[in-house]
Amino acid sequence: MSEETHPCFKRATIDTPQAGGKKKVWKGLKQILQTDKMLPWPEEAVTYSSLNPPPSFFPAKKYSDISGLIAPYTDPTTKLHYHNAEEYSTVKQLPMDLTAGYLALRGASSIVG
Amino acid sequence: MNFIELKDLKLTPHVIQKYPPPKHAAVVIDNGSYESRVGWSTSDKPLFCFRNFIAKSRKERERILPTQIGNDIVNIEGIRHQLRTQFDKNVVTHFQAQEQIFDYIFGHLGVNTDSCVPHPVVLSECFANPNHSRQLMSELLFECYDVPSICYAFDSICSLRRNKVSKDVLIVSFGYHTVHVIPVLNHKVIHTKVRRLNVGGFNMINYIHRLMQLKYPVHLQALTLGKMEDLLKNHCQVSEDYMEDLKKWANADFYDQNIRKVQLPFAIQQPALTAEQKLEKRRELSKKLVEITTRKRHEKLKEDEEQYEIMTNIWNLLEVGDMRSFQQALKDNNLENKNELEKLMISVKTRADRSRIKLSQPPQPIEEKVTAPAAPIPPPGISIDDWVEEVKKKRSDIHEKKQFRYKRRQDLAKRRTAAAQERMRIISHLAKKEKGTDDFGMRDEDWDVYKVISRENDSDSEVENEKLIEFEDVLRHYDPNYEDPTIASGIGTAEYHQLHIGLETMRTPELLFQPSMMGSSEAGIGELIEFVLKMFTAEEQLRLANGVFITGGCGQFPGLKERLSTELLKMRPFQTPHKIYVARDPSLDAWYGLRDLGRRSNLKDFSFTKNDYYEKGAEYFKDHDMGNLYFKTPVVVEQDIRFEN
């Protein structure tokens, strides 16, 4: 860091370049949790991962991807949920990127295909 | 009709505070993943709040611009992609960014002491903050800023202390990345039974942003994250009964009454002229031309008449016999002799006469050369209505075909689509044929495969385009409801540039209750509260249910309290009471609570010093009833064995 951005109240900076001029890489939350998980924590310890909620025990309700209304139907080709015939005609005309976008929003974009 | 206005996020730079503050003042920072709130323990209110953002140019050569931090960021919508935060979810992980944030904080507090920040620090941290993260935070504060002591505390507990709720509380803290459900019995946090839902304001903003983008792909540019945040903050509400509200929204009248509209800026476009208007315009033009020619003729006639009069006067001189004057007059008018004068007089006279005749006739309109094209004649043996219907159907068929081809073309252009992959599969299948067994081309159908994999045959055919024009011509003449497609599209009208926001305002906060809507398998808040309550005895459950406390910035949705009440009613035993409290200021109470902690005379009982840090290890911190418990990171088993040996 250059001199001008170094305020007077600072004694040091953690942004010192590492050996070999490499930039310091900060562990992401996932990595930190992964490391923590490997450790033999005592029974009573409260860790970030131990606070995770249980999975939902209710089946996910089906809502129309387009309008958000209750969706009794699913379009077999695009896999989009829809509310009624009118919505179905919209679904049919949606370009690929929009159908993919709707599926991704619902977390339903399949890895295959 | 409800028009609403969405505002972009605008940051105004903070002033640098006066320094030093009253003696022994501690720095109080509520370091949230959404916003950082900063002040002295002696302040009445937070001195400044800012989004925990830094903007840093990615490319080396763009580094000329200094890194912008917090509210010093100008044009935040323009550099969204450059924004970095020190947070990963609700945990600080990127300490270089945190360092820059601290520079900003201490700088704006006006700290000017040399090589140290000589104030105790009261800092919020998340529940079960990993030791790794806390250790780096302590390291940063002690090593780089040389602060005398640090006190870590929970934002939600601090917020609770600001509000008068009973001694048994179930805190539901709505944050930017998470929702925490925290049971408190006899003022003591039951750490092992705290649970966290990984959904927050961040997810909701992104959800509604994407929803609107998908709904209005043409207005992609206008849908900024800042506007969507404004939409979420000021126009969204939690539905009390989602299923019931969905039924209401399915009703067209309800939709019309409750829809909210956003008018985007647009340039007014002149609508294309209809055939009639064009004709009218042409008529006007020809009328004007006729007027001009008439006026010109009048002028010419007047000129001719004047000239004729002069010549008659000269001729009169001749008749009178005044030869001298006559010769002089001829000379003045550039005439040679008497014959020439006579000739000229005749020609002027005939010209004037002709003009007079023309002017006496009514102006002849310029003949309309462009006559309306003849109406197409319906084929014999069919009524016009049936014919129109038939043509309409044919037309929509062609449109559908065109649409399909357009879609296929688009799909083929991308790699990861079913159409493109099917094509690749066929191609690789064709190429795969082993030697000797290749009988490709034996059957005529073999060649059809080239039609399938060809990209070229997808262009719209000429014949179809001609047919389409023909059909449209027919409809224009016989179908009263026919709208010209160029007019019907409505581009350039105010309506075209309107966003309709309906169910989205309820659908988005519903994520908190049904995370499955965004593909998460986690239990929603209602279910999670029930799960946490079930870990207690029936008597404790009743005590907790009577002290449900809502706090956190995202806890401010209208209807949230009512919805939680409905959820509690559903899960609690029949006819048992429950009570819900809402924090006085869900966003800022955490800071006020932290400040109260900083004001305590026994703050040092909640803090640990630099000496502790050196003596007891970097991950050591003082635990107390308003913060995390200290669990030493276990050392790996191998080392233990060696130690015992």
Side-chain angles (χ1 to χ4, degrees), chain A residues 8-15 29 39-40 45-46 48 51-57 61 63 65 67 69 92 96 106, chain B residues 88 90 95-96 99 103 113 115-116 143-144 194-196 198 243 246 411 503 507 514 519 521 523 527 610 631 633-634:
Chain A
C8 68
F9 50 78
K10 269 179 92 169
R11 203 169 66 162
T13 173
I14 51 163
D15 194 24
L29 181 59
L39 299 171
V46 177
Y48 191 87
L51 294 193
N52 272 327
S56 179
F57 292 110
K61 290 205 174 86
Y63 300 109
D65 286 297
S67 65
L69 296 170
K92 270 204 304 189
M96 205 38 210
R106 165 151 61 86
Chain B
D88 187 348
N90 59 339
F95 283 87
Q96 192 193 328
E99 182 183 13
D103 285 349
T113 45
S115 296
C116 68
E143 304 283 358
C144 300
V194 174
R195 286 297 178 272
R196 175 194 59 235
N198 297 307
M243 281 322 216
L246 285 188
D411 286 355
L503 188 56
R507 191 176 170 184
Q514 301 184 51
S521 60
E527 219 183 330
K610 197 168 179 181
F631 295 102
T633 305

Short mmCIF file of all heavy atoms in Angstrom, two decimals, chain A residues 8-15 29 39-40 45-46 48 51-57 61 63 65 67 69 92 96 106, chain B residues 88 90 95-96 99 103 113 115-116 143-144 194-196 198 243 246 411 503 507 514 519 521 523 527 610 631 633-634:
data_model
loop_
_atom_site.label_atom_id
_atom_site.label_comp_id
_atom_site.label_asym_id
_atom_site.label_seq_id
_atom_site.Cartn_x
_atom_site.Cartn_y
_atom_site.Cartn_z
N CYS A 8 -2.22 8.06 9.71
CA CYS A 8 -1.24 8.22 10.78
C CYS A 8 -1.47 7.28 11.94
O CYS A 8 -0.55 6.87 12.62
CB CYS A 8 -1.24 9.68 11.25
SG CYS A 8 -2.77 10.13 12.09
N PHE A 9 -2.75 6.91 12.18
CA PHE A 9 -3.04 6.09 13.35
C PHE A 9 -2.68 4.63 13.17
O PHE A 9 -2.84 3.83 14.06
CB PHE A 9 -4.51 6.22 13.77
CG PHE A 9 -5.49 6.01 12.64
CD1 PHE A 9 -5.78 4.74 12.21
CD2 PHE A 9 -6.10 7.11 12.03
CE1 PHE A 9 -6.67 4.55 11.17
CE2 PHE A 9 -7.00 6.92 10.99
CZ PHE A 9 -7.28 5.64 10.55
N LYS A 10 -2.20 4.28 11.99
CA LYS A 10 -1.90 2.88 11.74
C LYS A 10 -0.46 2.54 12.05
O LYS A 10 0.46 3.29 11.73
CB LYS A 10 -2.20 2.53 10.28
CG LYS A 10 -3.59 2.05 10.11
CD LYS A 10 -3.89 1.73 8.69
CE LYS A 10 -3.61 0.29 8.35
NZ LYS A 10 -4.16 -0.05 7.04
N ARG A 11 -0.27 1.40 12.66
CA ARG A 11 1.07 0.98 13.00
C ARG A 11 1.62 0.06 11.91
O ARG A 11 2.80 0.07 11.61
CB ARG A 11 1.05 0.23 14.33
CG ARG A 11 2.39 0.25 15.02
CD ARG A 11 2.25 -0.25 16.41
NE ARG A 11 1.88 -1.66 16.39
CZ ARG A 11 2.03 -2.46 17.44
NH1 ARG A 11 2.52 -1.98 18.57
NH2 ARG A 11 1.67 -3.72 17.39
N ALA A 12 0.76 -0.74 11.38
CA ALA A 12 1.19 -1.70 10.37
C ALA A 12 0.00 -2.00 9.47
O ALA A 12 -1.11 -1.54 9.71
CB ALA A 12 1.67 -2.97 11.04
N THR A 13 0.27 -2.77 8.45
CA THR A 13 -0.82 -3.21 7.60
C THR A 13 -0.72 -4.71 7.42
O THR A 13 0.39 -5.26 7.39
CB THR A 13 -0.82 -2.49 6.24
OG1 THR A 13 -1.80 -3.09 5.41
CG2 THR A 13 0.53 -2.55 5.58
N ILE A 14 -1.87 -5.37 7.34
CA ILE A 14 -1.82 -6.81 7.12
C ILE A 14 -1.66 -7.11 5.64
O ILE A 14 -1.52 -8.24 5.23
CB ILE A 14 -3.09 -7.51 7.63
CG1 ILE A 14 -4.34 -6.82 7.06
CG2 ILE A 14 -3.12 -7.57 9.13
CD1 ILE A 14 -5.56 -7.69 7.18
N ASP A 15 -1.69 -6.05 4.85
CA ASP A 15 -1.63 -6.22 3.41
C ASP A 15 -0.18 -6.30 2.93
O ASP A 15 0.13 -5.85 1.85
CB ASP A 15 -2.38 -5.07 2.73
CG ASP A 15 -2.64 -5.36 1.26
OD1 ASP A 15 -2.67 -6.56 0.92
OD2 ASP A 15 -2.79 -4.41 0.50
N LEU A 29 -15.53 -18.57 3.63
CA LEU A 29 -16.28 -19.17 4.74
C LEU A 29 -16.33 -20.69 4.60
O LEU A 29 -16.15 -21.43 5.56
CB LEU A 29 -17.69 -18.58 4.80
CG LEU A 29 -18.58 -19.10 5.93
CD1 LEU A 29 -17.96 -18.83 7.28
CD2 LEU A 29 -19.96 -18.47 5.85
N LEU A 39 -12.02 -31.00 12.87
CA LEU A 39 -11.45 -30.99 14.21
C LEU A 39 -12.36 -31.68 15.22
O LEU A 39 -13.59 -31.65 15.08
CB LEU A 39 -11.21 -29.53 14.64
CG LEU A 39 -10.23 -28.78 13.76
CD1 LEU A 39 -10.24 -27.30 14.12
CD2 LEU A 39 -8.82 -29.34 13.87
N PRO A 40 -11.77 -32.30 16.24
CA PRO A 40 -12.57 -32.97 17.27
C PRO A 40 -13.07 -31.99 18.31
O PRO A 40 -12.49 -31.84 19.39
CB PRO A 40 -11.58 -33.96 17.88
CG PRO A 40 -10.24 -33.35 17.67
CD PRO A 40 -10.32 -32.47 16.47
N ALA A 45 -19.51 -27.82 22.35
CA ALA A 45 -19.06 -26.67 21.56
C ALA A 45 -20.14 -26.25 20.57
O ALA A 45 -20.82 -27.08 19.97
CB ALA A 45 -17.79 -27.02 20.82
N VAL A 46 -20.28 -24.93 20.42
CA VAL A 46 -21.21 -24.38 19.44
C VAL A 46 -20.37 -23.87 18.27
O VAL A 46 -19.55 -22.98 18.45
CB VAL A 46 -22.03 -23.22 20.04
CG1 VAL A 46 -22.93 -22.61 19.00
CG2 VAL A 46 -22.84 -23.71 21.23
N TYR A 48 -20.17 -22.74 13.94
CA TYR A 48 -20.99 -22.14 12.89
C TYR A 48 -21.87 -23.19 12.23
O TYR A 48 -23.06 -22.97 12.01
CB TYR A 48 -20.08 -21.46 11.86
CG TYR A 48 -20.82 -20.58 10.89
CD1 TYR A 48 -21.08 -19.25 11.19
CD2 TYR A 48 -21.28 -21.07 9.67
CE1 TYR A 48 -21.76 -18.43 10.31
CE2 TYR A 48 -21.97 -20.26 8.78
CZ TYR A 48 -22.21 -18.94 9.12
OH TYR A 48 -22.89 -18.14 8.25
N LEU A 51 -25.12 -24.55 13.97
CA LEU A 51 -26.33 -23.69 14.01
C LEU A 51 -27.21 -23.90 12.79
O LEU A 51 -28.29 -23.34 12.69
CB LEU A 51 -25.93 -22.21 14.05
CG LEU A 51 -25.21 -21.67 15.27
CD1 LEU A 51 -25.22 -20.16 15.24
CD2 LEU A 51 -25.85 -22.16 16.55
N ASN A 52 -26.74 -24.69 11.82
CA ASN A 52 -27.51 -24.86 10.59
C ASN A 52 -28.90 -25.39 10.89
O ASN A 52 -29.09 -26.20 11.79
CB ASN A 52 -26.79 -25.79 9.63
CG ASN A 52 -25.83 -25.03 8.75
OD1 ASN A 52 -26.09 -23.88 8.40
ND2 ASN A 52 -24.72 -25.65 8.40
N PRO A 53 -29.87 -24.93 10.14
CA PRO A 53 -31.25 -25.34 10.42
C PRO A 53 -31.50 -26.74 9.89
O PRO A 53 -30.75 -27.23 9.04
CB PRO A 53 -32.07 -24.32 9.66
CG PRO A 53 -31.21 -23.96 8.50
CD PRO A 53 -29.80 -24.04 8.98
N PRO A 54 -32.55 -27.37 10.37
CA PRO A 54 -32.92 -28.68 9.81
C PRO A 54 -33.49 -28.50 8.42
O PRO A 54 -33.91 -27.39 8.07
CB PRO A 54 -34.00 -29.16 10.78
CG PRO A 54 -34.63 -27.91 11.27
CD PRO A 54 -33.53 -26.89 11.35
N PRO A 55 -33.50 -29.55 7.62
CA PRO A 55 -34.18 -29.42 6.32
C PRO A 55 -35.68 -29.31 6.55
O PRO A 55 -36.18 -29.71 7.60
CB PRO A 55 -33.84 -30.73 5.61
CG PRO A 55 -33.50 -31.68 6.70
CD PRO A 55 -32.91 -30.87 7.81
N SER A 56 -36.37 -28.75 5.59
CA SER A 56 -37.81 -28.61 5.72
C SER A 56 -38.47 -29.98 5.61
O SER A 56 -38.07 -30.81 4.80
CB SER A 56 -38.34 -27.69 4.63
OG SER A 56 -39.73 -27.58 4.73
N PHE A 57 -39.46 -30.20 6.47
CA PHE A 57 -40.13 -31.49 6.43
C PHE A 57 -41.42 -31.43 5.61
O PHE A 57 -42.11 -32.41 5.47
CB PHE A 57 -40.43 -31.97 7.86
CG PHE A 57 -39.18 -32.32 8.60
CD1 PHE A 57 -38.72 -31.54 9.64
CD2 PHE A 57 -38.42 -33.43 8.20
CE1 PHE A 57 -37.55 -31.86 10.30
CE2 PHE A 57 -37.25 -33.76 8.86
CZ PHE A 57 -36.80 -32.97 9.92
N LYS A 61 -43.94 -26.42 -2.09
CA LYS A 61 -45.17 -26.13 -2.84
C LYS A 61 -44.80 -25.71 -4.25
O LYS A 61 -43.74 -25.16 -4.49
CB LYS A 61 -45.93 -25.01 -2.14
CG LYS A 61 -46.54 -25.48 -0.81
CD LYS A 61 -47.76 -24.61 -0.48
CE LYS A 61 -48.48 -25.11 0.74
NZ LYS A 61 -47.93 -24.60 2.00
N TYR A 63 -45.29 -23.33 -7.31
CA TYR A 63 -45.81 -22.02 -7.71
C TYR A 63 -45.41 -21.77 -9.15
O TYR A 63 -44.36 -22.22 -9.59
CB TYR A 63 -45.24 -20.92 -6.83
CG TYR A 63 -45.57 -21.08 -5.37
CD1 TYR A 63 -44.59 -21.45 -4.47
CD2 TYR A 63 -46.87 -20.89 -4.91
CE1 TYR A 63 -44.88 -21.62 -3.12
CE2 TYR A 63 -47.17 -21.06 -3.57
CZ TYR A 63 -46.18 -21.42 -2.68
OH TYR A 63 -46.47 -21.60 -1.36
N ASP A 65 -43.77 -20.30 -12.20
CA ASP A 65 -42.49 -19.59 -12.30
C ASP A 65 -42.69 -18.18 -12.81
O ASP A 65 -41.96 -17.27 -12.44
CB ASP A 65 -41.55 -20.35 -13.23
CG ASP A 65 -41.03 -21.60 -12.56
OD1 ASP A 65 -40.34 -21.47 -11.55
OD2 ASP A 65 -41.35 -22.71 -13.02
N SER A 67 -45.77 -16.17 -12.85
CA SER A 67 -46.58 -15.24 -12.07
C SER A 67 -46.46 -15.46 -10.57
O SER A 67 -46.81 -14.58 -9.80
CB SER A 67 -48.05 -15.38 -12.49
OG SER A 67 -48.50 -16.67 -12.13
N LEU A 69 -48.23 -17.56 -9.00
CA LEU A 69 -49.52 -18.11 -8.54
C LEU A 69 -49.41 -19.62 -8.34
O LEU A 69 -48.43 -20.24 -8.74
CB LEU A 69 -50.61 -17.78 -9.55
CG LEU A 69 -50.92 -16.30 -9.75
CD1 LEU A 69 -51.84 -16.10 -10.96
CD2 LEU A 69 -51.57 -15.72 -8.51
N LYS A 92 -44.74 -21.21 -23.76
CA LYS A 92 -44.32 -21.79 -25.03
C LYS A 92 -43.46 -20.82 -25.84
O LYS A 92 -42.62 -21.23 -26.62
CB LYS A 92 -45.56 -22.17 -25.85
CG LYS A 92 -46.01 -23.58 -25.58
CD LYS A 92 -46.81 -24.13 -26.75
CE LYS A 92 -47.99 -23.26 -27.11
NZ LYS A 92 -48.89 -23.88 -28.07
N MET A 96 -35.13 -19.68 -24.77
CA MET A 96 -34.34 -20.58 -23.94
C MET A 96 -33.72 -19.90 -22.70
O MET A 96 -33.77 -20.44 -21.61
CB MET A 96 -33.25 -21.03 -24.87
CG MET A 96 -32.54 -22.30 -24.69
SD MET A 96 -33.34 -23.74 -24.14
CE MET A 96 -31.94 -24.42 -23.33
N ARG A 106 -35.38 -20.79 -9.28
CA ARG A 106 -36.05 -21.74 -8.39
C ARG A 106 -35.04 -22.80 -7.94
O ARG A 106 -35.38 -23.68 -7.15
CB ARG A 106 -37.22 -22.36 -9.17
CG ARG A 106 -37.81 -23.60 -8.59
CD ARG A 106 -39.28 -23.71 -8.95
NE ARG A 106 -39.53 -23.78 -10.39
CZ ARG A 106 -39.51 -24.93 -11.08
NH1 ARG A 106 -39.21 -26.06 -10.50
NH2 ARG A 106 -39.78 -24.93 -12.38
N ASP B 88 -18.27 -12.86 3.97
CA ASP B 88 -18.74 -14.01 3.22
C ASP B 88 -19.94 -14.48 4.02
O ASP B 88 -19.77 -14.91 5.17
CB ASP B 88 -17.63 -15.07 3.16
CG ASP B 88 -18.00 -16.23 2.25
OD1 ASP B 88 -19.18 -16.32 1.86
OD2 ASP B 88 -17.12 -17.05 1.94
N ASN B 90 -22.47 -14.01 6.66
CA ASN B 90 -22.46 -13.06 7.78
C ASN B 90 -21.14 -13.09 8.56
O ASN B 90 -21.05 -12.60 9.67
CB ASN B 90 -23.63 -13.34 8.73
CG ASN B 90 -23.57 -14.74 9.29
OD1 ASN B 90 -22.93 -15.61 8.71
ND2 ASN B 90 -24.22 -14.96 10.42
N PHE B 95 -9.89 -9.91 5.23
CA PHE B 95 -9.42 -8.93 6.20
C PHE B 95 -8.68 -7.76 5.58
O PHE B 95 -8.50 -6.74 6.23
CB PHE B 95 -8.62 -9.62 7.30
CG PHE B 95 -9.54 -10.30 8.27
CD1 PHE B 95 -9.97 -11.60 8.03
CD2 PHE B 95 -10.05 -9.62 9.35
CE1 PHE B 95 -10.87 -12.21 8.88
CE2 PHE B 95 -10.95 -10.23 10.20
CZ PHE B 95 -11.37 -11.52 9.97
N GLN B 96 -8.29 -7.90 4.34
CA GLN B 96 -7.71 -6.74 3.68
C GLN B 96 -8.81 -5.70 3.45
O GLN B 96 -8.60 -4.51 3.66
CB GLN B 96 -7.11 -7.17 2.35
CG GLN B 96 -6.25 -6.09 1.73
CD GLN B 96 -5.92 -6.43 0.29
OE1 GLN B 96 -5.81 -7.61 -0.06
NE2 GLN B 96 -5.81 -5.42 -0.53
N GLU B 99 -9.66 -4.19 6.75
CA GLU B 99 -8.66 -3.18 7.12
C GLU B 99 -9.00 -1.84 6.47
O GLU B 99 -8.96 -0.80 7.13
CB GLU B 99 -7.27 -3.64 6.65
CG GLU B 99 -6.17 -2.68 7.05
CD GLU B 99 -4.82 -3.10 6.52
OE1 GLU B 99 -4.74 -4.00 5.66
OE2 GLU B 99 -3.82 -2.53 6.98
N ASP B 103 -9.83 1.64 8.28
CA ASP B 103 -9.17 2.90 7.93
C ASP B 103 -10.22 3.99 7.74
O ASP B 103 -10.07 5.12 8.21
CB ASP B 103 -8.37 2.76 6.63
CG ASP B 103 -7.08 1.98 6.83
OD1 ASP B 103 -6.72 1.76 8.00
OD2 ASP B 103 -6.45 1.61 5.83
N THR B 113 -4.09 10.32 16.34
CA THR B 113 -2.96 9.96 17.19
C THR B 113 -1.95 9.16 16.38
O THR B 113 -2.30 8.56 15.35
CB THR B 113 -3.44 9.12 18.38
OG1 THR B 113 -4.34 8.14 17.89
CG2 THR B 113 -4.14 9.99 19.41
N SER B 115 0.29 6.27 15.27
CA SER B 115 0.50 4.81 15.28
C SER B 115 -0.38 4.04 16.26
O SER B 115 -0.01 2.94 16.67
CB SER B 115 1.97 4.48 15.58
OG SER B 115 2.77 4.95 14.55
N CYS B 116 -1.48 4.61 16.68
CA CYS B 116 -2.39 3.83 17.52
C CYS B 116 -3.79 4.45 17.50
O CYS B 116 -3.95 5.61 17.13
CB CYS B 116 -1.89 3.74 18.95
SG CYS B 116 -1.95 5.32 19.81
N GLU B 143 -2.65 -5.49 16.12
CA GLU B 143 -1.36 -5.32 15.45
C GLU B 143 -1.32 -4.06 14.59
O GLU B 143 -0.30 -3.39 14.53
CB GLU B 143 -1.04 -6.53 14.57
CG GLU B 143 -1.03 -7.87 15.29
CD GLU B 143 0.23 -8.09 16.12
OE1 GLU B 143 1.12 -7.22 16.11
OE2 GLU B 143 0.30 -9.14 16.79
N CYS B 144 -2.41 -3.78 13.89
CA CYS B 144 -2.37 -2.66 12.95
C CYS B 144 -2.83 -1.34 13.56
O CYS B 144 -2.35 -0.29 13.17
CB CYS B 144 -3.21 -2.97 11.72
SG CYS B 144 -2.64 -4.42 10.85
N VAL B 194 -29.54 -22.37 19.61
CA VAL B 194 -29.69 -21.31 18.62
C VAL B 194 -29.63 -21.94 17.23
O VAL B 194 -28.86 -22.86 16.99
CB VAL B 194 -28.55 -20.28 18.77
CG1 VAL B 194 -28.61 -19.26 17.65
CG2 VAL B 194 -28.61 -19.59 20.11
N ARG B 195 -30.48 -21.48 16.33
CA ARG B 195 -30.42 -21.97 14.95
C ARG B 195 -30.43 -20.80 13.98
O ARG B 195 -30.94 -19.72 14.29
CB ARG B 195 -31.60 -22.89 14.64
CG ARG B 195 -31.50 -24.27 15.28
CD ARG B 195 -30.30 -25.05 14.74
NE ARG B 195 -30.16 -26.35 15.39
CZ ARG B 195 -29.48 -26.56 16.52
NH1 ARG B 195 -28.89 -25.56 17.15
NH2 ARG B 195 -29.40 -27.78 17.02
N ARG B 196 -29.83 -21.06 12.82
CA ARG B 196 -29.67 -19.99 11.84
C ARG B 196 -30.27 -20.43 10.51
O ARG B 196 -29.98 -21.52 10.03
CB ARG B 196 -28.17 -19.70 11.66
CG ARG B 196 -27.86 -18.68 10.57
CD ARG B 196 -26.37 -18.71 10.23
NE ARG B 196 -25.98 -20.02 9.78
CZ ARG B 196 -25.00 -20.74 10.31
NH1 ARG B 196 -24.26 -20.26 11.26
NH2 ARG B 196 -24.75 -21.95 9.85
N ASN B 198 -30.33 -19.65 6.57
CA ASN B 198 -29.41 -18.95 5.67
C ASN B 198 -30.14 -18.23 4.54
O ASN B 198 -29.88 -18.44 3.35
CB ASN B 198 -28.38 -19.93 5.12
CG ASN B 198 -27.52 -20.50 6.22
OD1 ASN B 198 -26.93 -19.75 7.02
ND2 ASN B 198 -27.46 -21.81 6.32
N MET B 243 -51.39 -18.50 0.76
CA MET B 243 -52.27 -19.21 -0.16
C MET B 243 -53.52 -18.39 -0.48
O MET B 243 -53.97 -18.33 -1.62
CB MET B 243 -52.70 -20.55 0.47
CG MET B 243 -51.62 -21.61 0.36
SD MET B 243 -50.79 -21.47 -1.21
CE MET B 243 -50.46 -23.12 -1.62
N LEU B 246 -52.61 -15.60 -2.78
CA LEU B 246 -52.41 -16.08 -4.16
C LEU B 246 -53.74 -16.18 -4.88
O LEU B 246 -53.85 -15.81 -6.05
CB LEU B 246 -51.73 -17.45 -4.14
CG LEU B 246 -50.25 -17.50 -3.79
CD1 LEU B 246 -49.71 -18.90 -4.02
CD2 LEU B 246 -49.46 -16.51 -4.63
N ASP B 411 -31.48 -20.97 -30.18
CA ASP B 411 -30.99 -22.10 -29.39
C ASP B 411 -29.73 -22.70 -30.00
O ASP B 411 -28.79 -23.05 -29.30
CB ASP B 411 -32.07 -23.17 -29.28
CG ASP B 411 -33.17 -22.74 -28.32
OD1 ASP B 411 -33.01 -21.66 -27.72
OD2 ASP B 411 -34.17 -23.45 -28.19
N LEU B 503 -47.71 -9.43 -7.53
CA LEU B 503 -47.45 -10.47 -6.54
C LEU B 503 -45.99 -10.48 -6.07
O LEU B 503 -45.69 -10.97 -4.98
CB LEU B 503 -47.84 -11.81 -7.17
CG LEU B 503 -47.84 -13.03 -6.26
CD1 LEU B 503 -48.72 -12.80 -5.06
CD2 LEU B 503 -48.30 -14.24 -7.03
N ARG B 507 -44.23 -12.25 -2.97
CA ARG B 507 -43.51 -13.47 -3.32
C ARG B 507 -42.09 -13.42 -2.75
O ARG B 507 -41.56 -14.42 -2.29
CB ARG B 507 -43.46 -13.54 -4.85
CG ARG B 507 -43.00 -14.83 -5.43
CD ARG B 507 -43.13 -14.72 -6.94
NE ARG B 507 -42.48 -15.84 -7.60
CZ ARG B 507 -42.38 -15.95 -8.92
NH1 ARG B 507 -42.88 -15.01 -9.69
NH2 ARG B 507 -41.77 -16.98 -9.45
N GLN B 514 -40.64 -19.84 3.01
CA GLN B 514 -40.53 -21.00 2.13
C GLN B 514 -39.24 -20.92 1.32
O GLN B 514 -39.26 -20.58 0.15
CB GLN B 514 -41.72 -21.06 1.18
CG GLN B 514 -43.06 -21.13 1.88
CD GLN B 514 -44.19 -21.27 0.91
OE1 GLN B 514 -44.17 -22.13 0.04
NE2 GLN B 514 -45.20 -20.44 1.04
N GLY B 519 -34.98 -22.80 -4.13
CA GLY B 519 -34.21 -24.02 -4.27
C GLY B 519 -33.47 -24.44 -3.02
O GLY B 519 -32.67 -25.37 -3.07
N SER B 521 -33.19 -26.19 0.62
CA SER B 521 -33.93 -27.28 1.28
C SER B 521 -34.16 -26.98 2.75
O SER B 521 -34.73 -27.79 3.47
CB SER B 521 -33.15 -28.58 1.13
OG SER B 521 -31.89 -28.43 1.75
N ALA B 523 -35.51 -25.40 6.31
CA ALA B 523 -36.83 -25.12 6.86
C ALA B 523 -37.04 -23.61 6.88
O ALA B 523 -36.10 -22.86 7.11
CB ALA B 523 -36.94 -25.68 8.27
N GLU B 527 -41.25 -23.02 10.51
CA GLU B 527 -40.83 -24.38 10.84
C GLU B 527 -39.63 -24.36 11.79
O GLU B 527 -39.53 -25.18 12.71
CB GLU B 527 -40.45 -25.08 9.54
CG GLU B 527 -40.88 -26.52 9.48
CD GLU B 527 -40.42 -27.17 8.19
OE1 GLU B 527 -40.30 -26.46 7.16
OE2 GLU B 527 -40.15 -28.38 8.22
N LYS B 610 -4.62 -6.28 24.93
CA LYS B 610 -3.56 -6.74 24.05
C LYS B 610 -2.68 -7.75 24.78
O LYS B 610 -2.18 -8.70 24.18
CB LYS B 610 -2.73 -5.54 23.61
CG LYS B 610 -1.89 -5.84 22.41
CD LYS B 610 -1.32 -4.59 21.81
CE LYS B 610 -0.47 -4.95 20.63
NZ LYS B 610 0.14 -3.77 20.02
N PHE B 631 -14.67 -21.38 22.82
CA PHE B 631 -14.25 -22.78 22.71
C PHE B 631 -12.90 -22.78 22.00
O PHE B 631 -12.79 -22.33 20.87
CB PHE B 631 -15.25 -23.59 21.87
CG PHE B 631 -16.60 -23.71 22.51
CD1 PHE B 631 -17.66 -22.92 22.07
CD2 PHE B 631 -16.81 -24.59 23.55
CE1 PHE B 631 -18.90 -23.02 22.66
CE2 PHE B 631 -18.06 -24.70 24.14
CZ PHE B 631 -19.11 -23.92 23.71
N THR B 633 -10.00 -23.88 19.85
CA THR B 633 -9.94 -24.77 18.71
C THR B 633 -9.17 -26.02 19.12
O THR B 633 -8.05 -25.92 19.62
CB THR B 633 -9.22 -24.09 17.53
OG1 THR B 633 -9.87 -22.86 17.26
CG2 THR B 633 -9.23 -24.97 16.30
N PRO B 634 -9.76 -27.19 18.96
CA PRO B 634 -9.08 -28.40 19.42
C PRO B 634 -7.79 -28.63 18.64
O PRO B 634 -7.75 -28.35 17.43
CB PRO B 634 -10.09 -29.51 19.13
CG PRO B 634 -11.32 -28.85 18.67
CD PRO B 634 -11.03 -27.46 18.30
#
